[in-house]
Amino acid sequence: VFDELVRALPDGVYLASFELTGDRVKMSGYAESNNRISALMRNLDTSLKYEESNLTKVEQDNTLGEQGSVFDLQVKIEKSADNQSTEASSAD
């Protein structure tokens, strides 16, 4: 999960908190611009572990520059094919 997150995190995006609840991850952080947040969401949606990214809050914050933002984002952890086949076998 963390390895895939590092791959999805674009330059100019910094995470301040990361909370895992069930199959959902809530993350908060700072970005140099809203475009960087959009890039993060696209990267998460096309990653192997994450799906259904949902931006719950974005506010202007000049900490990282004139176009800086603070954001909250939720994303679902995608079940791997191995986990799905194991669950299907145990249900039989």
Side-chain angles (χ1 to χ4, degrees):
V1 172
F2 287 114
D3 189 46
E4 194 69 26
L5 178 63
V6 171
R7 294 172 205 252
L9 202 64
D11 290 339
V13 176
Y14 308 93
L15 294 182
S17 70
F18 185 89
E19 181 181 327
L20 177 63
T21 306
D23 67 344
R24 295 269 175 198
V25 175
K26 179 181 177 185
M27 54 186 89
S28 300
Y30 301 89
E32 293 176 354
S33 70
N34 289 344
N35 290 338
R36 308 238 182 202
I37 298 170
S38 296
L40 171 61
M41 293 177 69
R42 278 192 303 275
N43 292 347
L44 289 170
D45 287 339
T46 59
S47 74
L48 299 174
K49 284 287 181 188
Y50 298 101
E51 63 185 0
E52 299 176 20
S53 63
N54 181 27
L55 188 63
T56 56
K57 178 184 101 173
V58 63
E59 295 176 354
Q60 183 177 359
D61 184 299
N62 295 337
T63 303
L64 295 176
E66 190 176 301
Q67 296 180 359
S69 297
V70 183
F71 68 92
D72 289 340
L73 177 70
Q74 290 187 354
V75 66
K76 183 177 177 183
I77 297 176
E78 186 176 291
K79 291 185 179 182
S80 68
D82 292 339
N83 288 343
Q84 289 175 352
S85 63
T86 303
E87 288 176 4
S89 297
S90 63
D92 291 335

XYZ file of all heavy atoms in Angstrom:
711
model
N 0.830 -1.192 0.000
C 0.000 0.000 0.000
C 0.875 1.256 0.000
O 0.642 2.175 -0.771
C -0.955 -0.014 1.218
C -1.706 1.289 1.355
C -1.937 -1.155 1.120
N 1.885 1.293 0.855
C 2.750 2.469 0.918
C 3.635 2.588 -0.317
O 3.878 3.688 -0.797
C 3.626 2.447 2.182
C 2.867 2.729 3.435
C 2.725 1.756 4.403
C 2.275 3.957 3.649
C 2.020 2.004 5.555
C 1.565 4.223 4.799
C 1.438 3.234 5.761
N 4.111 1.458 -0.816
C 4.952 1.477 -2.009
C 4.196 2.095 -3.185
O 4.726 2.933 -3.912
C 5.406 0.059 -2.339
C 6.449 0.031 -3.432
O 7.396 0.835 -3.371
O 6.318 -0.803 -4.341
N 2.958 1.698 -3.357
C 2.136 2.226 -4.457
C 1.805 3.704 -4.234
O 1.719 4.482 -5.174
C 0.862 1.397 -4.594
C 0.120 1.619 -5.871
C 0.842 1.080 -7.101
O 1.641 0.138 -6.991
O 0.605 1.619 -8.194
N 1.648 4.104 -2.977
C 1.374 5.509 -2.662
C 2.556 6.387 -3.052
O 2.385 7.452 -3.641
C 1.056 5.679 -1.177
C 0.794 7.103 -0.706
C -0.442 7.683 -1.395
C 0.631 7.144 0.794
N 3.757 5.940 -2.767
C 4.958 6.707 -3.120
C 5.050 6.881 -4.634
O 5.398 7.948 -5.125
C 6.220 6.017 -2.566
C 7.487 6.658 -3.109
C 6.220 6.056 -1.057
N 4.685 5.841 -5.376
C 4.710 5.929 -6.842
C 3.667 6.910 -7.372
O 3.872 7.556 -8.388
C 4.452 4.563 -7.454
C 5.531 3.556 -7.199
C 5.068 2.186 -7.675
N 5.742 1.128 -6.971
C 6.654 0.346 -7.490
N 7.000 0.491 -8.744
N 7.227 -0.583 -6.778
N 2.543 7.023 -6.673
C 1.449 7.886 -7.132
C 1.648 9.348 -6.735
O 1.071 10.241 -7.343
C 0.114 7.381 -6.569
N 2.465 9.607 -5.739
C 2.638 10.955 -5.204
C 3.494 11.812 -6.134
O 4.682 11.554 -6.310
C 3.293 10.859 -3.823
C 3.109 12.012 -2.881
C 1.639 12.184 -2.515
C 3.932 11.797 -1.628
N 2.905 12.841 -6.758
C 3.694 13.690 -7.667
C 4.550 14.698 -6.897
O 4.308 14.958 -5.713
C 2.620 14.410 -8.489
C 1.422 14.434 -7.628
C 1.490 13.221 -6.749
N 5.540 15.247 -7.560
C 6.337 16.324 -6.961
C 5.405 17.468 -6.589
O 4.438 17.757 -7.301
C 7.385 16.836 -7.953
C 8.490 15.825 -8.195
O 8.682 14.936 -7.352
O 9.165 15.936 -9.237
N 5.700 18.125 -5.477
C 4.909 19.278 -5.074
C 3.686 18.930 -4.236
O 2.886 19.802 -3.915
N 3.529 17.646 -3.869
C 2.446 17.219 -2.982
C 3.085 16.595 -1.747
O 3.964 15.736 -1.865
C 1.501 16.206 -3.664
C 0.449 15.702 -2.690
C 0.830 16.831 -4.870
N 2.645 17.025 -0.573
C 3.214 16.575 0.687
C 2.093 16.097 1.598
O 1.131 16.830 1.830
C 3.987 17.717 1.353
C 4.983 18.347 0.416
C 4.630 19.462 -0.347
C 6.244 17.797 0.262
C 5.538 20.023 -1.238
C 7.157 18.351 -0.630
C 6.790 19.468 -1.376
O 7.682 20.012 -2.255
N 2.212 14.883 2.111
C 1.187 14.334 2.992
C 1.496 14.689 4.438
O 2.628 14.567 4.891
C 1.091 12.817 2.839
C 0.613 12.319 1.488
C 0.519 10.791 1.495
C -0.729 12.922 1.115
N 0.456 15.114 5.171
C 0.596 15.452 6.585
C 0.019 14.348 7.464
O 0.490 14.124 8.575
C -0.111 16.773 6.880
N -1.014 13.647 6.978
C -1.593 12.544 7.739
C -2.132 11.486 6.796
O -2.489 11.762 5.654
C -2.702 13.044 8.668
O -3.828 13.452 7.934
N -2.187 10.254 7.316
C -2.611 9.090 6.553
C -3.325 8.170 7.528
O -2.741 7.745 8.522
C -1.359 8.420 5.972
C -1.622 7.267 5.056
C -1.804 7.480 3.708
C -1.677 5.974 5.537
C -2.021 6.419 2.846
C -1.892 4.910 4.687
C -2.069 5.136 3.337
N -4.609 7.899 7.277
C -5.398 7.087 8.191
C -6.095 5.968 7.417
O -6.796 6.223 6.448
C -6.438 7.979 8.879
C -7.308 7.273 9.865
C -8.322 8.228 10.477
O -8.005 9.422 10.650
O -9.436 7.769 10.762
N -5.907 4.737 7.865
C -6.499 3.565 7.227
C -7.658 3.073 8.073
O -7.509 2.814 9.254
C -5.443 2.470 7.079
C -5.892 1.144 6.487
C -6.368 1.337 5.052
C -4.774 0.129 6.536
N -8.843 2.967 7.451
C -10.027 2.437 8.111
C -10.686 1.453 7.161
O -11.248 1.852 6.140
C -11.026 3.569 8.468
O -10.348 4.570 9.222
C -12.193 3.030 9.257
N -10.590 0.164 7.496
C -11.142 -0.861 6.613
C -10.433 -0.843 5.277
O -9.213 -0.945 5.211
N -11.198 -0.674 4.193
C -10.597 -0.611 2.855
C -10.510 0.819 2.337
O -10.339 1.056 1.157
C -11.363 -1.496 1.872
C -12.769 -0.993 1.589
O -13.269 -0.145 2.356
O -13.378 -1.460 0.614
N -10.621 1.796 3.230
C -10.541 3.222 2.861
C -9.328 3.875 3.502
O -8.969 3.573 4.630
C -11.789 3.976 3.335
C -13.056 3.539 2.682
C -13.290 4.372 1.463
N -14.452 3.881 0.742
C -14.702 4.179 -0.489
N -13.908 4.967 -1.160
N -15.749 3.703 -1.106
N -8.719 4.773 2.769
C -7.597 5.561 3.264
C -7.993 7.023 3.204
O -8.495 7.498 2.179
C -6.332 5.336 2.403
C -5.220 6.252 2.841
C -5.901 3.892 2.466
N -7.795 7.721 4.304
C -8.022 9.165 4.330
C -6.654 9.818 4.481
O -5.884 9.452 5.364
C -8.915 9.559 5.501
C -9.155 11.041 5.586
C -10.024 11.413 6.773
C -10.177 12.912 6.852
N -10.915 13.320 8.057
N -6.347 10.729 3.573
C -5.075 11.434 3.654
C -5.298 12.934 3.580
O -6.237 13.398 2.938
C -4.109 10.956 2.573
C -4.606 11.014 1.172
S -3.460 10.276 -0.015
C -3.996 8.587 0.008
N -4.461 13.651 4.284
C -4.491 15.108 4.282
C -3.094 15.599 3.963
O -2.109 14.947 4.306
C -4.913 15.646 5.649
O -6.187 15.180 5.991
N -3.016 16.750 3.317
C -1.705 17.270 2.987
C -1.746 18.639 2.356
O -2.766 19.327 2.380
N -0.606 19.006 1.791
C -0.400 20.300 1.148
C 0.048 20.066 -0.286
O 0.729 19.087 -0.572
C 0.697 21.088 1.879
C 0.403 21.337 3.323
C 0.783 20.420 4.302
C -0.251 22.485 3.722
C 0.514 20.643 5.639
C -0.525 22.720 5.056
C -0.139 21.793 6.006
O -0.421 22.030 7.330
N -0.306 20.987 -1.161
C 0.133 20.901 -2.548
C 0.507 22.290 -3.046
O -0.054 23.291 -2.596
C -0.966 20.312 -3.428
N 1.444 22.324 -3.977
C 1.871 23.599 -4.554
C 0.793 24.216 -5.426
O 0.800 25.417 -5.655
C 3.160 23.405 -5.339
C 4.336 23.061 -4.457
C 5.602 22.778 -5.235
O 5.565 22.733 -6.488
O 6.646 22.591 -4.590
N -0.137 23.382 -5.945
C -1.241 23.887 -6.759
C -2.346 22.838 -6.835
O -2.120 21.664 -6.518
C -0.771 24.233 -8.179
O -0.457 23.052 -8.881
N -3.510 23.257 -7.279
C -4.622 22.320 -7.459
C -4.320 21.305 -8.567
O -4.810 20.181 -8.533
C -5.916 23.072 -7.771
C -6.440 23.826 -6.573
O -6.037 23.578 -5.442
N -7.337 24.769 -6.820
N -3.514 21.710 -9.544
C -3.122 20.784 -10.617
C -2.354 19.583 -10.055
O -2.474 18.467 -10.559
C -2.270 21.486 -11.669
C -3.076 22.468 -12.483
O -4.284 22.370 -12.565
N -2.386 23.435 -13.074
N -1.576 19.808 -9.025
C -0.811 18.716 -8.412
C -1.746 17.748 -7.676
O -1.515 16.543 -7.673
C 0.244 19.264 -7.469
C 1.115 20.306 -8.129
C 2.523 19.965 -8.103
N 3.268 21.061 -8.727
C 4.444 20.900 -9.227
N 5.001 19.717 -9.212
N 5.082 21.897 -9.766
N -2.799 18.280 -7.070
C -3.795 17.425 -6.414
C -4.510 16.583 -7.470
O -4.730 15.386 -7.282
C -4.800 18.268 -5.605
C -4.083 19.030 -4.492
C -5.891 17.370 -5.007
C -4.938 20.068 -3.790
N -4.843 17.196 -8.584
C -5.478 16.462 -9.683
C -4.569 15.350 -10.200
O -5.027 14.241 -10.480
C -5.819 17.400 -10.839
O -6.764 18.354 -10.438
N -3.282 15.633 -10.313
C -2.327 14.619 -10.761
C -2.266 13.465 -9.760
O -2.225 12.290 -10.160
C -0.941 15.236 -10.942
N -2.298 13.767 -8.471
C -2.313 12.725 -7.443
C -3.539 11.842 -7.602
O -3.436 10.612 -7.584
C -2.281 13.349 -6.046
C -2.511 12.387 -4.873
C -1.422 11.317 -4.833
C -2.580 13.162 -3.566
N -4.695 12.446 -7.786
C -5.931 11.676 -7.935
C -5.889 10.792 -9.178
O -6.286 9.624 -9.124
C -7.139 12.615 -7.957
C -7.362 13.312 -6.628
S -8.726 14.484 -6.666
C -10.107 13.376 -6.832
N -5.400 11.316 -10.285
C -5.272 10.515 -11.514
C -4.319 9.343 -11.292
O -4.593 8.205 -11.695
C -4.773 11.377 -12.675
C -5.844 12.186 -13.359
C -5.349 12.795 -14.663
N -4.167 13.634 -14.499
C -4.190 14.919 -14.149
N -5.346 15.515 -13.933
N -3.071 15.612 -14.034
N -3.196 9.620 -10.635
C -2.215 8.567 -10.372
C -2.792 7.485 -9.464
O -2.539 6.294 -9.672
C -0.953 9.159 -9.739
C -0.167 10.040 -10.687
O -0.408 10.047 -11.891
N 0.747 10.798 -10.140
N -3.558 7.876 -8.461
C -4.175 6.897 -7.561
C -5.187 6.031 -8.316
O -5.237 4.815 -8.133
C -4.847 7.588 -6.383
C -3.913 8.223 -5.350
C -4.700 9.081 -4.376
C -3.107 7.164 -4.617
N -5.992 6.666 -9.155
C -7.026 5.928 -9.894
C -6.444 4.952 -10.907
O -7.069 3.950 -11.228
C -7.996 6.896 -10.586
C -8.931 7.584 -9.605
O -9.125 7.053 -8.492
O -9.467 8.644 -9.955
N -5.247 5.222 -11.420
C -4.627 4.322 -12.391
C -3.619 3.374 -11.747
O -3.013 2.566 -12.436
C -3.926 5.113 -13.525
O -2.933 5.961 -12.950
C -4.925 5.925 -14.319
N -3.459 3.459 -10.428
C -2.506 2.596 -9.731
C -3.067 1.188 -9.572
O -4.251 0.937 -9.813
C -2.171 3.181 -8.356
O -3.255 2.992 -7.469
N -2.226 0.274 -9.138
C -2.620 -1.123 -8.956
C -3.339 -1.363 -7.631
O -4.027 -2.361 -7.479
C -1.384 -2.023 -9.028
C -0.615 -1.987 -10.336
C 0.653 -2.808 -10.225
C -1.480 -2.457 -11.491
N -3.195 -0.475 -6.666
C -3.743 -0.694 -5.321
C -4.914 0.211 -4.948
O -5.632 -0.085 -4.005
C -2.642 -0.488 -4.269
C -1.676 -1.609 -4.176
C -2.334 -2.790 -3.512
C -1.364 -3.935 -3.381
N -2.025 -5.132 -2.931
N -5.082 1.316 -5.635
C -6.079 2.291 -5.221
C -7.131 2.507 -6.302
O -6.861 2.329 -7.481
C -5.411 3.632 -4.901
C -4.433 3.556 -3.764
C -3.065 3.504 -3.995
C -4.873 3.531 -2.455
C -2.163 3.430 -2.953
C -3.973 3.461 -1.401
C -2.622 3.410 -1.652
O -1.739 3.342 -0.622
N -8.326 2.927 -5.870
C -9.400 3.264 -6.805
C -10.364 4.223 -6.116
O -10.336 4.389 -4.904
C -10.136 2.007 -7.269
C -10.835 1.249 -6.151
C -11.459 -0.058 -6.605
O -11.358 -0.403 -7.793
O -12.053 -0.732 -5.753
N -11.202 4.846 -6.906
C -12.274 5.720 -6.415
C -11.766 6.847 -5.509
O -12.264 7.046 -4.405
C -13.335 4.908 -5.662
C -14.016 3.857 -6.499
C -14.993 3.006 -5.705
O -15.433 3.430 -4.612
O -15.307 1.907 -6.185
N -10.783 7.604 -5.979
C -10.304 8.744 -5.188
C -11.395 9.802 -5.132
O -12.123 10.026 -6.091
C -9.017 9.313 -5.780
O -9.235 9.814 -7.074
N -11.516 10.432 -3.965
C -12.569 11.411 -3.732
C -11.995 12.567 -2.914
O -11.600 12.379 -1.763
C -13.731 10.742 -2.989
C -14.874 11.688 -2.734
O -15.071 12.644 -3.465
N -15.626 11.430 -1.688
N -11.961 13.735 -3.513
C -11.463 14.933 -2.839
C -12.570 15.473 -1.942
O -13.641 15.834 -2.430
C -11.042 15.973 -3.881
C -10.332 17.205 -3.378
C -9.011 16.842 -2.729
C -10.096 18.174 -4.536
N -12.344 15.499 -0.633
C -13.384 15.943 0.294
C -13.204 17.391 0.735
O -14.159 18.017 1.177
C -13.432 15.036 1.545
O -12.150 15.012 2.167
C -13.853 13.626 1.157
N -11.980 17.920 0.617
C -11.747 19.323 0.991
C -10.528 19.846 0.253
O -9.526 19.140 0.129
C -11.505 19.436 2.496
C -11.214 20.861 2.967
C -10.889 20.903 4.434
C -9.393 21.020 4.594
N -8.945 21.230 5.969
N -10.634 21.052 -0.227
C -9.471 21.747 -0.777
C -9.642 23.233 -0.463
O -10.707 23.804 -0.673
C -9.278 21.493 -2.302
C -10.439 22.017 -3.103
C -7.978 22.077 -2.791
N -8.618 23.821 0.128
C -8.647 25.233 0.502
C -7.317 25.878 0.146
O -6.270 25.233 0.223
C -8.872 25.385 2.010
C -10.209 24.897 2.499
C -10.347 24.991 4.009
O -9.361 25.333 4.698
O -11.443 24.707 4.502
N -7.384 27.140 -0.203
C -6.156 27.867 -0.510
C -5.330 28.025 0.753
O -5.858 28.283 1.835
C -6.479 29.242 -1.086
C -5.241 30.005 -1.487
C -5.557 31.343 -2.119
O -6.703 31.709 -2.290
N -4.514 32.078 -2.446
N -4.040 27.835 0.616
C -3.100 27.993 1.722
C -1.774 28.430 1.121
O -1.206 27.735 0.289
C -2.942 26.663 2.466
C -2.053 26.791 3.674
O -0.868 27.140 3.520
O -2.530 26.529 4.789
N -1.278 29.562 1.527
C -0.066 30.134 0.931
C 1.226 29.590 1.532
O 2.299 30.113 1.262
C -0.098 31.658 1.043
C -1.224 32.248 0.214
O -1.691 31.621 -0.736
N -1.667 33.432 0.572
N 1.155 28.511 2.309
C 2.346 27.923 2.912
C 3.364 27.519 1.859
O 4.564 27.707 2.036
C 1.963 26.685 3.758
O 1.002 27.084 4.734
C 3.163 26.089 4.451
N 2.893 26.943 0.754
C 3.789 26.460 -0.303
C 3.821 27.380 -1.519
O 4.208 26.962 -2.598
C 3.382 25.056 -0.740
C 3.529 23.970 0.306
C 3.013 22.651 -0.216
C 4.973 23.841 0.747
N 3.392 28.585 -1.366
C 3.420 29.517 -2.482
C 2.057 30.114 -2.755
O 1.065 29.802 -2.114
N 2.034 30.947 -3.751
C 0.837 31.715 -4.100
C -0.358 30.836 -4.472
O -1.493 31.175 -4.186
C 1.196 32.638 -5.264
C 0.157 33.664 -5.601
C 0.661 34.586 -6.690
O 1.698 35.251 -6.488
O 0.002 34.639 -7.751
N -0.118 29.709 -5.111
C -1.198 28.824 -5.547
C -1.357 27.603 -4.648
O -2.038 26.644 -5.007
C -0.947 28.361 -6.983
C -0.958 29.479 -7.977
C -0.694 28.978 -9.387
O -0.481 27.786 -9.610
N -0.709 29.886 -10.337
N -0.752 27.609 -3.474
C -0.767 26.461 -2.576
C -2.152 26.125 -2.061
O -3.033 26.975 -1.972
N -2.339 24.844 -1.720
C -3.617 24.354 -1.220
C -3.401 23.330 -0.118
O -2.395 22.631 -0.086
C -4.413 23.669 -2.333
O -4.727 24.563 -3.360
N -4.390 23.257 0.756
C -4.483 22.200 1.751
C -5.627 21.308 1.285
O -6.642 21.809 0.801
C -4.819 22.779 3.141
C -4.855 21.683 4.190
C -3.843 23.846 3.535
N -5.486 19.988 1.421
C -6.531 19.101 0.920
C -6.760 17.904 1.828
O -5.884 17.519 2.607
C -6.176 18.608 -0.488
C -4.982 17.689 -0.536
C -5.139 16.313 -0.450
C -3.702 18.193 -0.666
C -4.045 15.466 -0.488
C -2.598 17.358 -0.711
C -2.775 15.986 -0.619
N -7.951 17.340 1.742
C -8.314 16.055 2.330
C -8.801 15.186 1.192
O -9.567 15.645 0.342
C -9.436 16.191 3.366
C -8.988 16.870 4.643
O -7.776 16.914 4.909
O -9.860 17.369 5.378
N -8.377 13.947 1.175
C -8.679 13.034 0.082
C -8.953 11.654 0.650
O -8.283 11.226 1.583
C -7.463 12.989 -0.853
C -7.468 12.061 -2.045
C -8.456 12.552 -3.096
C -6.080 11.985 -2.653
N -9.969 10.992 0.121
C -10.247 9.606 0.485
C -10.090 8.747 -0.751
O -10.423 9.174 -1.851
C -11.658 9.461 1.036
C -11.837 10.093 2.393
C -13.205 9.782 2.975
O -14.056 9.192 2.330
N -13.406 10.185 4.202
N -9.594 7.534 -0.545
C -9.398 6.602 -1.650
C -9.636 5.187 -1.133
O -9.390 4.893 0.036
C -7.990 6.776 -2.268
C -6.906 6.385 -1.317
C -7.856 6.036 -3.567
N -10.137 4.342 -2.008
C -10.417 2.955 -1.647
C -9.234 2.083 -2.041
O -8.643 2.265 -3.103
C -11.672 2.483 -2.379
C -12.090 1.084 -2.034
C -13.376 0.733 -2.761
C -13.752 -0.700 -2.463
N -14.945 -1.106 -3.204
N -8.889 1.125 -1.171
C -7.850 0.161 -1.500
C -8.502 -0.948 -2.303
O -9.473 -1.559 -1.872
C -7.183 -0.406 -0.240
C -6.491 0.716 0.521
C -6.184 -1.497 -0.608
C -5.877 0.290 1.821
N -7.970 -1.174 -3.481
C -8.503 -2.188 -4.391
C -8.037 -3.566 -3.948
O -6.869 -3.763 -3.640
C -7.991 -1.882 -5.793
C -8.554 -2.742 -6.864
C -8.051 -2.287 -8.224
O -8.445 -1.204 -8.677
O -7.243 -3.024 -8.795
N -8.951 -4.519 -3.919
C -8.570 -5.887 -3.581
C -7.829 -6.494 -4.755
O -8.228 -6.330 -5.898
C -9.801 -6.727 -3.274
C -10.484 -6.333 -1.998
C -11.608 -7.286 -1.691
C -12.269 -6.901 -0.390
N -13.339 -7.823 -0.037
N -6.764 -7.211 -4.455
C -6.003 -7.857 -5.532
C -6.735 -9.098 -6.012
O -7.597 -9.640 -5.325
C -4.604 -8.231 -5.037
O -4.693 -9.259 -4.074
N -6.394 -9.580 -7.175
C -7.013 -10.781 -7.732
C -6.759 -11.981 -6.827
O -7.612 -12.845 -6.671
C -6.482 -11.037 -9.132
N -5.586 -12.037 -6.179
C -5.275 -13.133 -5.266
C -6.221 -13.145 -4.071
O -6.720 -14.179 -3.677
C -3.835 -13.035 -4.763
C -2.818 -13.290 -5.857
O -3.185 -13.926 -6.873
O -1.664 -12.870 -5.705
N -6.479 -11.970 -3.484
C -7.397 -11.882 -2.355
C -8.811 -12.242 -2.754
O -9.521 -12.892 -2.007
C -7.374 -10.466 -1.747
C -6.113 -10.186 -0.997
O -5.364 -11.082 -0.636
N -5.858 -8.924 -0.742
N -9.248 -11.811 -3.938
C -10.594 -12.096 -4.389
C -10.782 -13.584 -4.615
O -11.803 -14.154 -4.256
C -10.915 -11.315 -5.659
C -11.072 -9.821 -5.407
C -11.261 -9.044 -6.692
O -11.145 -9.571 -7.791
N -11.560 -7.766 -6.544
N -9.797 -14.274 -5.186
C -9.933 -15.705 -5.446
C -9.896 -16.491 -4.128
O -10.584 -17.472 -3.975
C -8.851 -16.197 -6.398
O -7.575 -16.042 -5.841
N -9.123 -16.024 -3.137
C -9.084 -16.663 -1.837
C -10.424 -16.538 -1.134
O -10.934 -17.472 -0.546
C -7.965 -16.043 -0.969
O -6.732 -16.159 -1.654
C -7.878 -16.727 0.386
N -11.032 -15.345 -1.205
C -12.336 -15.119 -0.581
C -13.402 -15.964 -1.267
O -14.275 -16.508 -0.619
C -12.702 -13.642 -0.629
C -11.884 -12.802 0.326
C -12.184 -11.310 0.198
O -13.081 -10.944 -0.581
O -11.525 -10.529 0.892
N -13.347 -16.072 -2.586
C -14.337 -16.852 -3.328
C -14.205 -18.342 -2.965
O -15.191 -19.035 -2.803
C -14.165 -16.655 -4.824
N -12.973 -18.822 -2.807
C -12.747 -20.216 -2.461
C -13.239 -20.531 -1.052
O -13.822 -21.582 -0.803
C -11.257 -20.560 -2.533
O -10.800 -20.412 -3.842
N -13.047 -19.594 -0.122
C -13.479 -19.827 1.259
C -14.991 -19.724 1.383
O -15.575 -20.276 2.305
C -12.801 -18.853 2.205
O -13.175 -17.530 1.908
N -15.662 -19.060 0.439
C -17.127 -18.942 0.481
C -17.793 -20.218 -0.002
O -18.947 -20.485 0.306
C -17.581 -17.765 -0.373
N -17.088 -21.046 -0.779
C -17.662 -22.289 -1.322
C -17.839 -23.342 -0.270
O -17.408 -23.637 0.633
C -16.793 -22.854 -2.453
C -16.858 -21.949 -3.677
O -17.853 -21.218 -3.832
O -15.895 -21.980 -4.479
